[in-house]
Each structure stands twice: as C-alpha cells, then as structure tokens.
Amino acid sequence: MRFTRTLGLTLGLLAACSSTPTTTNTAANVARDSSGNAVTTTTGQAVSASANERFNTAAAAMRTHDAANNGLGDWTPESCNEVAGLFERAAQEQNNGQFAEAWFNRGMVFDRCNLANESRQAFERALQISNGNYCRAKVQLGVQAFRRREVPQAQQMFEEAIRQDPTHCVEGYTNLAMVLRTRNPSTEQEWAGVIRNIRAALALDDRYLPARNELALAYLQQAGDDPNSQRVFLAGLVCAQAIQVADAQAQQIDPQVASFVADIHNTWGLVDIRRGEIIRALGHFRRASQLNPSMFEAFINYGTINLSFRGYDDARQAFEAAVRLRDDSYDAHLGLGVALRGLSQTQANDADKQAMIQRAQQEYARAQQLDQNRPDSYYNQGLLNMSYMGNTIPDLRRARELLTQFQQRAGQQPRYAQDVQRATRHIRNIDQTIT
C-alpha cells in the first residue's frame, strides 16, 4: 500500500473581527475589545454590541461541536443548520447584514457537514459584502473548486485573493503553493514559484503552521526517492521547527490548530519513511491521529506501517478508524482486509478464525465495488482463497480466477511487477495441484 500525505488545503478558523475604529454605528452601540477599541468588520464597519454578542454565541457553539467526541466532532445536518442560523442572525444584527465574518463562518459551519451549495452561497455573500475583497472567503471558494478537481479555477481564486490583499492573505499564498506543488514541478523555475509563495506566506506570519507544512512537503517532493538527499534533511528540519513553534504557543493557539500540528506530524512521518526510520514514523503517525482523530491520512499511514511488520491488530484498529472516516476509500477497505487476513492466523478458536476470513472477504469485495479496475484487491483476495480457506478444489479455482484478473488489470505497470511474477508462480502451482 502507499503512504498518504495531506494536500495542505487551508481551511479558515473562526474569523476574528479587527479593531480599527469606524463610525458606522453610534458610539453607545459599538462593541469594543479589551483595550476599548471598536470592533470592526473586514470592511471597517463598526460591529454593534448585539451583533458581536450573537457572533460570539455562534462561535462558542461551533467550537463545542468541533470539540465533541474527543475532537471528532458531532456535526449533523440539524446542528449545522442550527449553528449556521446563529451566524446568520449575528449578520442580520448589522445594518443590511453587513457582517462579512458572520457570513464566512456560516459557510464554514456548512462545510463541516459537506453542504457544498450552502457553504458556497455563504462565502459568496461574505465576498459581496466585502466588495469582492475578502481573502478567507475567496480562498475557501478556491478550496471548494480544488475539491471538485477544478484546479485552474482554484488557482485563479488563490491568485485573485493574493492580488487583492497581498499583505495579509497568508492562506492564499499557502494554497497557491500547494496547487503548484501538486502539479509535480520538474524544473527549477517551476519549483521557484512554489517556494516563493511559501516564503511569502511565512513572511506575513512565520508561525503559520500550514505554510511550514507545505515547505516540508515541497522539500520532500524535490528529494524524490533519494533517502540521502539534502532536501529530506531540510524537510525533517522544517517539521521539527514547526513543532517547536506550536509548542511555544501552546497556551495561545486555538484548539482547532491542533489539526495543523497533526498535519506536521503526518508529514514528519513521511520524511522518516523516506529515511528508513520506521519506528520514528510510526510515532509521528500515531501522534497525528491523536491530535486530529478525523485525520484519515494518519490512520492509513499508521495502519500501513503496522502491516509491514505484521502488527495486524494495530493495523486493524487503524484501518477501521479510516473506514469510519471515509467508507468510500479503496485503500482503507483493502488495508483492513489485509489486517484481518493476517489476524485470522493468530486466532486459537476456529470459529473466530473463520469470522476474520469472512470479514476480510467482505472488505476486499467492498474495495472492488469502489474500483473494479484497480488490481490490488484481486491479488489479495486470490491469496485469501489460495492459502486461508479450506484448500478445496473450488477454493483453488477461485483463487486462480482472481489472480488471473489481477494480472490482466496490472498489465505492465512497474509498481505491480513483483506481484505479477508472484501471481504467475501461484497460478502455476494451482494448476499442478488441481490437474
């Protein structure tokens, strides 16, 4: 199986209103910060005390739902609509609903429940109120475009956000670097564009962890397959420095930033894998999953390492967590099947062994439902029928059929070359057995 990295998409935290004085509301009705300065929106409009109170109530509700279930969250369509409604009421407390931050966070709530249309409308409303110039809202629309695999549109959104607010849009620079990196740069000039945008983000905020994570991923990608590359060392150094930054601000960082720290640990684990430091990698992937229990990639990577040294029970738990997060993941179901297959051989009770084998078959079947053309599940199901079933003639014939299907789908792909050779030997042995 392959190790998984995060793309580095920067999802905004709760937007904080600025403190620049303005004269939109009467002085008696203006919300003020702890220093007595007027609280204002991104457009410079003073926020009324009632709007600010409603905003803070909505923000507290959002944080509560995010923190539930040990950080997994307990969002449902009903709770999303409820909290999004709180932000809408906060916005409506302002004259003509002129409260971009409230509309933005309404969009972020809908995003929690994958309500793409509702979140897009809220982000667009925030942009409209801001005359099209609101970095976070425009970046989120770019993130949504990227999720839809509309990469040129996403890049355009990030570039526009930067152009309109070049001295503040740290999220825009970071996400633009991510888009450029995922295009697999091949020249120094192309890589220069990636690094330039990351450095621009860090120049605006050197504590911004997603930018540091993106820099580590860029160095790791530049290193290629060379474990001794200086770029691998630099990637690890960036990760170490990022964790130091996070630790130094532990009392100041919003709890949601823990997900950013989890991204760093996941990337650091990938660096360790490249170096061949498997135990260290295991620790980083475990830490990532602890910091962010919703981090699918960390569970996949933790499970994959455990499979490599037959830690089947730990692998099973990791892949089960991954399946709960993304039931439509081929890799999660495949990994769970492999873990269950291995775990079946540790069962003293024959009934328990057969139950494990049956579950493994179900996971392989689910993987095939998700992608009938991908070879991996056919190979693993072939092994299951060949070596873990009753060793009857029907089992062996089914194994031969599955291994043949694997060969057909694998073709000449280099990454399957060794398994194709093994499948050929297995088929030959089956033929000698049943004839």
Side-chain angles (χ1 to χ4, degrees), residues 33-248:
D33 63 18
S34 58
S35 299
N37 297 317
V39 176
T40 67
T41 68
T42 187
T43 59
Q45 182 183 37
V47 177
S48 70
S50 58
N52 191 57
E53 182 178 358
R54 287 183 180 273
F55 181 91
N56 289 334
T57 298
M62 186 177 182
R63 290 191 180 97
T64 297
H65 284 293
D66 279 342
N69 293 329
N70 294 319
L72 280 171
D74 63 356
W75 290 103
T76 64
E78 292 75 20
S79 61
C80 275
N81 281 307
E82 178 185 355
V83 178
L86 295 177
F87 280 116
E88 182 179 26
R89 286 192 282 279
Q92 291 171 343
E93 283 293 308
Q94 286 290 100
N95 295 329
N96 299 316
Q98 300 291 305
F99 196 170
E101 288 83 354
W103 292 111
F104 171 80
N105 282 288
R106 175 178 166 86
M108 292 301 295
V109 169
F110 282 133
D111 190 77
R112 299 291 199 273
C113 290
N114 298 316
L115 297 172
N117 288 333
E118 290 85 348
S119 62
R120 175 182 53 79
Q121 291 170 7
F123 295 141
E124 289 176 345
R125 182 68 183 274
L127 273 178
Q128 180 186 16
I129 290 169
S130 307
N131 298 315
N133 185 6
Y134 185 8
C135 165
R136 281 184 165 179
K138 187 154 287 186
V139 166
Q140 283 306 123
L141 289 172
V143 168
Q144 290 188 331
F146 189 89
R147 288 172 178 165
R148 297 191 303 267
R149 300 185 181 181
E150 297 172 0
V151 178
Q153 182 181 351
Q155 180 172 341
Q156 181 181 358
M157 287 286 187
F158 300 146
E159 288 173 342
E160 286 181 2
I162 293 168
R163 185 164 56 251
Q164 292 173 338
D165 193 3
T167 60
H168 298 93
C169 197
V170 61
E171 299 96 334
Y173 286 112
T174 304
N175 282 286
L176 179 56
M178 179 273 299
V179 167
L180 297 175
R181 178 181 58 78
T182 56
R183 286 181 170 173
N184 296 318
S186 59
T187 66
E188 287 296 325
Q189 183 177 3
E190 290 172 340
W191 274 114
V194 175
I195 302 301
R196 181 171 60 251
N197 281 286
I198 297 172
R199 287 176 175 167
L202 291 172
L204 296 177
D205 185 357
D206 64 357
R207 300 177 303 172
Y208 190 56
L209 297 180
R212 288 178 176 267
N213 186 56
E214 190 58 39
L215 181 59
L217 287 171
Y219 282 143
L220 186 61
Q221 189 169 329
Q222 283 181 296
D225 296 327
D226 181 5
N228 299 314
S229 170
Q230 183 71 8
R231 302 286 183 180
V232 176
F233 169 79
L234 291 173
L237 182 62
V238 170
C239 290
Q241 291 174 339
I243 296 302
Q244 289 177 355
V245 169
D247 289 345

Side-chain angles (χ1 to χ4, degrees), residues 11-16 104-105 108 136 254 256-257 259-260:
L11 303 180
L13 302 177
L14 291 173
F104 171 80
N105 282 288
M108 292 301 295
R136 281 184 165 179
D254 187 288
Q256 192 175 1
V257 177
S259 67
F260 294 158

